[in-house]
Amino acid sequence: MSGLSDKRVLITAGGSGIGACFARRFHAEGAKVAICDMDADALAETASTLPGVISVAANVTQTDQMQVLFDQLDNDWGGVDMLCANAGTGGPAGAIEDLSLDDWRACLSANLDGAFLACGWAARHMKEQGSGSMLLTSSTAGLWGYPMRSPYATAKWGVIGLMKTLASELGPYGIRVNALCPGAVEGPRMERVITREAEAHGLDPDELRERYVTGVAMKTWVTADDLADTALFLASDASCKISGQALAVDGHTESLVG
């Protein structure tokens, strides 16, 4: 992808999974990359493979910890060109009457508070420079809803609401804001989700794994690289007029089955 050399890119939850893939792909394109993650070991492992990367262990829901990251980026970069607000959690699975308020709040906080804090910092710098792009990670659950996953689906709908609001608020400053809505993404995180959902539904995990793509037109799972391709495009000048969009990378979800 042309035009990404030396762009300053911040990726939250960049220590593993989708975030680590984003970091590798942006780094390969010559971008300046910063990652944060609350898993210090995963963060260190990913950072060790990316020369020059800025890495800060931080919980995105904690203002003081995020301030450490923001201060370092202020000092080292003085701004940011691309924010990938990727941090989140799958949250609990179960009928709404069986879920606790603490679990509900923890899921909403992980998915929304971190995006709010990162976007607020990025907006300040992007306004000053009159340009920038933000990509918030939502989910197809944020487009459809999802039975037995009410905290997660609600949080991911909230991410899209935040994106739509910021696209309007920041558009006059030359700042684009979009949301990425992945389908079922191959990897350890999704395997943990399947285990929880299988227990909640009383299903065999292999059966549930097949159900995830039954309602997908292309009958396929998504890879982290599929999502990174979209992130690279939205950071490039080729997407200069794309804003306010919830972009599903999911093989086209036609229905929720099961």
Side-chain angles (χ1 to χ4, degrees):
M1 182 69 67
S2 63
L4 297 183
S5 179
D6 292 327
K7 278 191 180 290
R8 301 161 296 178
V9 182
L10 168 61
I11 303 162
T12 64
S16 62
I18 294 170
C21 182
F22 282 11
R24 289 192 294 271
R25 293 288 300 279
F26 274 107
H27 189 270
E29 295 291 337
K32 296 177 179 177
V33 176
I35 56 176
C36 73
D37 204 294
M38 63 188 300
D39 186 335
D41 291 336
L43 184 71
E45 182 176 351
T46 296
S48 69
T49 66
L50 303 173
V53 70
I54 296 172
S55 63
V56 177
N59 181 334
V60 297
T61 70
Q62 301 301 309
T63 303
D64 58 341
Q65 295 183 37
M66 292 296 281
Q67 190 63 54
V68 173
L69 170 64
F70 300 158
D71 287 346
Q72 183 166 349
L73 296 184
D74 269 331
N75 292 331
D76 291 1
W77 288 353
V80 66
D81 300 302
M82 176 68 167
L83 166 67
C84 296
N86 175 64
T89 182
I96 190 168
E97 65 269 24
D98 297 328
L99 300 177
S100 73
L101 182 60
D102 285 344
D103 285 343
W104 165 270
R105 286 175 172 168
C107 184
L108 264 64
S109 177
N111 286 286
L112 286 171
D113 291 356
F116 165 77
L117 290 172
C119 288
W121 175 84
R124 173 164 50 90
H125 288 284
M126 290 179 179
K127 280 183 175 181
E128 290 178 358
Q129 66 200 27
S131 65
S133 178
M134 300 183 188
L135 181 61
L136 284 59
T137 300
S138 180
S139 167
T140 50
L143 299 171
W144 286 81
Y146 207 94
M148 307 293 278
R149 297 282 301 285
S150 55
Y152 179 73
T154 301
K156 291 306 187 182
W157 276 68
V159 168
I160 293 176
L162 177 61
M163 175 274 293
K164 290 285 189 180
T165 299
L166 294 182
S168 294
E169 180 177 328
L170 301 176
Y173 298 92
I175 302 167
R176 299 181 293 109
V177 189
N178 294 287
L180 187 63
C181 300
V185 184
E186 294 177 352
R189 177 183 175 278
M190 199 63 204
E191 290 304 314
R192 292 192 295 271
V193 169
I194 286 175
T195 298
R196 291 197 299 269
E197 285 196 19
E199 292 174 353
H201 285 277
L203 296 172
D204 178 83
D206 290 336
E207 178 186 353
L208 185 57
R209 194 174 290 105
E210 292 180 4
R211 288 190 181 194
Y212 260 92
V213 297
T214 299
V216 175
M218 296 179 69
K219 309 302 181 204
T220 184
W221 284 59
V222 176
T223 70
D225 276 303
D226 294 329
L227 304 174
D229 287 338
T230 303
L232 291 172
F233 171 66
L234 290 173
S236 74
D237 293 338
S239 64
C240 64
K241 298 298 178 5
I242 298 177
S243 190
Q245 303 304 307
L247 302 173
V249 181
D250 63 344
H252 182 40
T253 301
E254 296 177 307
S255 66
L256 297 178
V257 178

